[in-house]
C-alpha cells in the first residue's frame, strides 16, 4: 500500500505490468497458481487494470503441444484475473509472428484461436509484429476486439524508421478493441526527454 500511496501522491496511475511464470509441469502447478494469486492480489492493491505476460519458455516454440500447454495455462491465469477484476494478456515479440510449428499456422494465430477471448486479451507490440513480417491491421480485421492494449513503438523514436505505417494502423484502432496505448521508445537517439518529445 505504500507503493500505491506514493503513486497517488505523484499522480501516477499504474495501468498494467509485465509478470511472467513459465508453464509448470503437473507437480509445480499448485505452487505456480499460488504465485499468480499473490501477483494478482498485488496488482489489485495498486489499482492496476491489466497483467501481461511478455514471453514464453522454449517449449512453446518447439511443438504445437508445447504451445497448446501455454494457451491452456493462460486461460487458467486469465480466469483467476477475471475473478479479481483484472484482465490478463500476452505481449508478442517478432518470433510469435514469424514461426510456424506445423508449416500451416503461425504461432500468434494459434494463440489467438486457442485462448478464450473472455479470459485472455493481447497487448500487440506493433513494432515487433512488423519485424515478424505481419501487418497489424490484418490481425485487427481477422481477430476483432482481441487487442485491448497496444505497445506503440518503432525501431527508434516513433516514425523514425519509415517501416511503420501508423496512419493505417490507427485506422484499425476501433476494430482491434484497443482501450489503451502504451508508448515506448525502443532505442534512443537522444536523451530520454528529447526522445519522448519527437513526433513522426
Amino acid at each position: 500500500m505504500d507503493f500505491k500511496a506514493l503513486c497517488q501522491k505523484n499522480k501516477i496511475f499504474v495501468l498494467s505490468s509485465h509478470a511472467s511464470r513459465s508453464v509448470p509441469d503437473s507437480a509445480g502447478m499448485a505452487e505456480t497458481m499460488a504465485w499468480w494469486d499473490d501477483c494478482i492480489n498485488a496488482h489489485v492493491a495498486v489499482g492496476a487494470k491489466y497483467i501481461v505476460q511478455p514471453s514464453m519458455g522454449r517449449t512453446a516454440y518447439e511443438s504445437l503441444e508445447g504451445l497448446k500447454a501455454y494457451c491452456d495455462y493462460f486461460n487458467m491465469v486469465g480466469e483467476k484475473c477475471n475473478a479479481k477484476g483484472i484482465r490478463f494478456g500476452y505481449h508478442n515479440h517478432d518470433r510469435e509472428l514469424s514461426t510456424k510449428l506445423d508449416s500451416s499456422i503461425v504461432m500468434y494465430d494459434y494463440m489467438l484461436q486457442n485462448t478464450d477471448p473472455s479470459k485472455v486479451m493481447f497487448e500487440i507490440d506493433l513494432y515487433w509484429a512488423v519485424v515478424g513480417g505481419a501487418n497489424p491491421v490484418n490481425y485487427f480485421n481477422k481477430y476483432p476486439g482481441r487487442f485491448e492494449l497496444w505497445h506503440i513503438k518503432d525501431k527508434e523514436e516513433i516514425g523514425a524508421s519509415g517501416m511503420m505505417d501508423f496512419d493505417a494502423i490507427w485506422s484499425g484502432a476501433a476494430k482491434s478493441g484497443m482501450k489503451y496505448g502504451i508508448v515506448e521508445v525502443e532505442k534512443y537517439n537522444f536523451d530520454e526527454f528529447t526522445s519522448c518529445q519527437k513526433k513522426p
Side-chain angles (χ1 to χ4, degrees):
M1 296 307 292
D2 289 343
F3 179 68
K4 182 177 182 179
L6 181 64
C7 290
Q8 290 175 335
K9 179 181 178 181
N10 290 280
K11 298 181 180 180
I12 296 171
F13 167 56
V14 180
L15 172 69
S16 174
S17 82
H18 283 181
S20 181
R21 285 291 292 260
S22 293
V23 65
D25 57 23
S26 57
M29 184 61 76
E31 187 275 331
T32 297
M33 289 295 109
W35 182 90
W36 278 112
D37 285 335
D38 290 342
C39 178
I40 293 165
N41 288 336
H43 282 75
V44 170
V46 80
K49 293 178 178 287
Y50 294 89
I51 297 174
V52 179
Q53 175 138 337
S55 62
M56 296 181 288
R58 61 178 178 79
T59 57
Y61 300 88
E62 293 175 340
S63 68
L64 277 180
E65 181 182 7
L67 184 57
K68 184 179 185 302
Y70 265 94
C71 291
D72 294 342
Y73 172 55
F74 289 162
N75 283 331
M76 293 171 62
V77 177
E79 186 171 357
K80 281 182 170 290
C81 286
N82 283 352
K84 293 296 183 76
I86 284 181
R87 289 287 283 155
F88 177 76
Y90 183 77
H91 171 283
N92 65 281
H93 291 84
D94 59 317
R95 198 173 170 194
E96 296 91 335
L97 282 299
S98 62
T99 303
K100 293 182 179 181
L101 292 178
D102 68 350
S103 301
S104 65
I105 185 167
V106 175
M107 283 183 66
Y108 201 53
D109 288 81
Y110 185 90
M111 295 175 72
L112 283 153
Q113 294 169 16
N114 288 275
T115 51
D116 185 337
S118 70
K119 299 174 182 177
V120 181
M121 66 89 202
F122 284 76
E123 178 183 65
I124 187 167
D125 188 301
L126 301 172
Y127 170 70
W128 285 121
V130 171
V131 171
N135 182 338
V137 178
N138 291 343
Y139 273 91
F140 302 159
N141 291 330
K142 190 173 182 181
Y143 304 102
R146 296 300 304 273
F147 307 96
E148 295 181 23
L149 301 182
W150 285 13
H151 239 185
I152 303 165
K153 65 187 186 188
D154 203 336
K155 184 177 181 180
E156 295 164 341
E157 283 76 24
I158 300 294
S161 72
M163 64 186 286
M164 303 295 296
D165 187 354
F166 284 111
D167 287 341
I169 291 169
W170 275 107
S171 72
K175 189 74 173 283
S176 76
M178 190 264 272
K179 295 182 179 178
Y180 296 93
I182 299 101
V183 179
E184 176 189 350
V185 178
E186 185 75 6
K187 180 181 178 183
Y188 293 98
N189 282 321
F190 311 89
D191 69 87
E192 60 269 32
F193 298 105
T194 302
S195 181
C196 289
Q197 293 173 18
K198 294 292 180 181
K199 297 179 180 178

